[in-house]
Amino acid sequence: MPGIGLFDSVPNDYLQFGRGSSFDPKRVPKVLGLNKEDVSRVASVSVKSVRYDDAIPEQVRDRLEEIANTINMVAEAFDGDIEKTVAWFRARNPMLGDVSPRDMIRLGRYERLRKFIIHAMSDRVAAQQQMNITAKMH
């Protein structure tokens, strides 16, 4: 069954979070409107340890990088349109139990959201491939 390719899990950096040493961890909570309590819940660290400078806890940095990649995967679906991407994360989604993707992250359900997005992206790729096959037949 076609789906997302092995290397598609690192999409283009549409929201310019940066990668590796140029990653800007404070940009992720800013884009999603997350506070320190939200970030501490997502990263499973105490609120007091949430910081975005050179002493950022590895767990916080890793989780924010994962979220940044997920946001950019969604941006890919919107052809890089940042406003649509941010709107999607903030809008209540009936397929997520009428909860916004942003709130799923805030409530500690990031992993469920990530799997939902990957599944949706795989379905999208499969539908596109089927359309290409059908077009070639005509």
Side-chain angles (χ1 to χ4, degrees), residues 68-124:
N69 281 331
T70 302
I71 292 169
N72 279 314
M73 284 175 67
V74 172
E76 185 107 13
F78 292 116
D79 297 319
D81 187 316
I82 295 168
E83 289 180 16
K84 281 184 181 179
T85 301
V86 172
W88 184 85
F89 273 91
R90 292 180 179 261
R92 291 188 330 189
N93 189 318
M95 296 182 75
L96 297 171
D98 220 23
V99 175
S100 73
R102 172 190 176 268
D103 284 344
M104 288 198 65
I105 293 169
R106 288 182 58 244
L107 297 170
R109 293 194 245 156
Y110 167 70
E111 195 57 37
R112 180 173 170 226
L113 175 65
R114 188 183 72 79
K115 288 178 181 175
F116 171 82
I117 290 169
I118 288 171
H119 181 73
M121 298 296 282
S122 293
D123 288 351
R124 186 172 181 259

Side-chain angles (χ1 to χ4, degrees), residues 2-16:
I4 294 179
L6 177 62
F7 302 108
D8 294 337
S9 62
V10 181
N12 292 325
D13 190 15
Y14 295 106
L15 282 93
Q16 299 175 355

